Amino acid sequence: MARPTPADLDAIGAAWQPDPHASSTLGADAYTDPAWLDLELDAIFSRSWQWVCHVEQLREPGAYVTAQVAGHPVAITRAADGELNAFYNVCRHRAHQLLEGAGTTRRIVCPYHAWTYGLTGQLMGAPLTQDLIDFDVADICLHGVRVEELAGFVYVNLDAEAVPLIEQSGTLIEELARVAPDIERLTFAHRLTYEIASDWKNVVDNFLECYHCPVAHKDFCTLVEMDTYEVVTDGIWSRQYAEAGKTANSAYDVEDASVTMQTVWWLWPNTCLLRFPGRPNFMVLQILPDGPGRTRTDPDGPSRPSTSTSRSPNRPQPRSRRSATSTMSCRSRTSRSSRASSGAWPRRPSKPDASSSSECREARRTRPGDPSTPSTTSTASSSTRIVRRWSRAGVG
């Protein structure tokens, strides 16, 4: 199939009904035809808030994390003024990759021609350019990306017009604070990786129901009281929860458990947050396509409470555009309002570097057509929701 048309969209969503008891999933082609993947990357993953990491990795000034979002390289930094900044991870000169993995740095130096940027994305120096006419480093900065911090996690969005996550997510931040009040005392534990031979939407569909649990997860069904299992939806997120079992189970030991509920959240379109009965824990599972008909998840496993009051060090963690799950215990600073403002995209720092000129700040407000282009100034069910988002994004 060529790029799907509006008629194709109508066809695969024909089984959807407002009443969930009468509705069905997308048509089979949406899960098997590779043509849909390119549309999904453009209309969904490039236009939604994508989880990157826990704030633990970006807590200290100088910390950075890199990620792939809808096939685009992105870097997130914590500047000296404490503000988060995000931008495309390519140099404005020859589009070389700037940062790799995660860690700490005082400045960003391109490994190709040594153009040097501050952690806000402002160009600070470019070798052998002093004789160029109309060339001023103050006029050049990396193309920005929207970034927000919500409930101790960092998200980015490539869409200039996206509604801020703090607004889209509604009461999710209060929900997390109520159900998992110890998130700030948790720290990263470990990560697992799974390759799944299935379309990412199919993985999400299965995550959003426990219809299969009595057959596929028999141990889990002894861990919780299945007759208390409930699913609640609220805007772009949903919650599944159940009370922990009161008798012995075949899953794992929950003696002296402080977490007495099984709670999982799904945040549109592909971020899953999980908290299991037992000791304090939190898991993040991100579901991303790994090519047509393939999905990768890298669950971060059960977390352990931090025993130190000091801030946890950054752990270098290369990120993949595919699916990521992290098991974390994380100490985090959570506020009702996101650390990143919802202002014009790309977001510029609230306290710009002294070297930032009005011309550069204006450039950061303009979304580039292609961030990899060198600078010209120098040398219901999840499937139902997917259909509705596509319709708003436009196809054809």
Side-chain angles (χ1 to χ4, degrees), residues 173-208:
I173 190 170
E174 288 86 359
E175 165 91 3
L176 290 171
R178 178 179 62 82
V179 178
D182 56 350
I183 288 181
E184 294 187 2
R185 295 185 291 107
L186 300 178
T187 189
F188 180 86
H190 64 271
R191 167 167 293 185
L192 304 173
T193 298
Y194 297 98
E195 299 284 348
I196 303 173
S198 182
D199 183 82
W200 72 275
K201 298 185 295 299
N202 193 41
V203 178
V204 172
D205 286 342
N206 280 272
F207 178 85
L208 291 177

Side-chain angles (χ1 to χ4, degrees), residues 228-243:
T228 67
Y229 205 98
E230 292 187 26
V231 179
V232 176
T233 60
D234 186 354
I236 68 167
W237 62 275
S238 67
R239 178 190 66 216
Q240 303 174 56
Y241 65 98
E243 297 177 9

Side-chain angles (χ1 to χ4, degrees), residues 8 31 43 75-76 82-83 85 103 144-145 152 180 204 207 216 240 306 327 359 365 369 374 395:
D8 296 324
Y31 298 88
I76 304 93
E83 290 296 308
N85 297 272
V145 169
V204 172
F207 178 85
Q240 303 174 56
S306 173
T327 296
E359 290 85 357
R365 294 190 186 101
V395 295

Side-chain angles (χ1 to χ4, degrees), residues 95-114:
H96 197 286
Q97 178 178 329
L98 293 171
L99 295 170
E100 183 176 356
T104 58
T105 186
R106 295 176 59 189
R107 60 183 63 88
I108 302 169
V109 181
C110 178
Y112 195 24
H113 292 112

